[in-house]
Amino acid sequence: MNIFLIGFMGSGKSTAGKKLATKLKMQFIDLDSIMELETNTTIHELFNARGENAFREIEHATLKKVVASTNNAVIATGGGTPCFFQNMDFMNANGVTVYLEMHPGSIYYRLARSKADRPLISGKTDAALMEYIIETLETREPVYLKAKHIVKGESLNIAGLAEKIIS
Ligand code: S3P
């Protein structure tokens, strides 16, 4: 069984994914890291050099490749992954999806410190970042809410989540 962690940028998918994988004795896979390895570049450079459309195609292809190669992993996806090419339906059909739901204010607090690493928000002023989070979350949330499990990112309990998934 694969477990897909989904949620907005900065919601803690990778950190939670690593802990969950350890708890469940499963492999941990970070989709962005696999893309970086396979394209031999960074997500930021990929966006800059090829543009978002190409990035989404590579992301979709990488997701399918990862799923074809493993059936026992916790997979942290990118914030936009579920929202393109029916990736959300694909993940729901191929494993258990978990949405790390987080309040826009908490996302802002976490992203304000790491803007530079993220192509979609680097260069934004604080006010523009907050506006981007609110607007983008509004369009993405209906997709995120198709997840099998929805947990609060701010008060995440890994043992509780592991129990929930297993039962
Ligand atoms: C993106 C989120 C990023 C990365 C890319 C695009 C998005 O992943 O895939 O910068 O569209 O929200 P994280 O959610 O891991 O930061």
Side-chain angles (χ1 to χ4, degrees):
M1 174 186 69
N2 284 325
I3 299 168
F4 300 96
L5 293 187
I6 66 161
F8 208 83
M9 276 181 271
S11 58
K13 301 176 293 279
S14 300
T15 308
K18 279 178 204 155
K19 289 184 187 162
L20 188 61
T22 304
K23 182 91 197 153
L24 294 172
K25 299 192 171 49
M26 290 168 76
Q27 183 192 2
F28 171 71
I29 295 175
D30 184 279
L31 200 63
D32 278 347
S33 304
I34 300 288
M35 288 173 73
E36 290 185 328
L37 272 176
E38 297 224 327
T39 57
N40 199 23
T41 181
T42 63
I43 296 296
H44 213 132
E45 280 164 15
L46 204 54
F47 254 80
N48 287 347
R50 310 270 306 269
E52 181 166 357
N53 289 347
F55 173 83
R56 296 303 173 192
E57 279 172 19
I58 297 168
E59 181 177 54
H60 177 60
T62 308
L63 175 66
K64 290 183 97 172
K65 205 167 164 183
V66 164
V67 169
S69 70
T70 178
N71 195 28
N72 191 35
V74 175
I75 303 163
T77 63
T81 310
C83 310
F84 295 86
F85 297 111
Q86 261 101 43
N87 288 341
M88 189 67 203
D89 294 339
F90 176 76
M91 291 188 279
N92 273 329
N94 285 281
V96 176
T97 50
V98 179
Y99 170 31
L100 298 192
E101 187 182 39
M102 201 173 254
H103 190 273
S106 313
I107 296 174
Y108 170 82
Y109 177 73
R110 296 165 66 117
L111 287 182
R113 292 171 293 170
S114 61
K115 279 191 291 193
D117 307 330
R118 294 178 155 100
L120 288 171
I121 57 169
S122 61
K124 285 198 191 302
T125 62
D126 289 350
L129 174 62
M130 192 63 204
E131 201 176 318
Y132 174 84
I133 293 167
I134 290 169
E135 280 175 4
T136 312
L137 194 55
E138 212 171 281
T139 60
R140 289 183 173 180
E141 189 137 63
V143 181
Y144 293 159
L145 290 172
K146 288 161 94 179
K148 173 147 193 190
H149 299 290
I150 298 170
V151 291
K152 295 266 175 227
E154 288 96 342
S155 52
L156 188 61
N157 174 328
I158 293 294
L161 176 58
E163 285 279 310
K164 208 172 176 173
I165 292 170
I166 291 165
S167 63

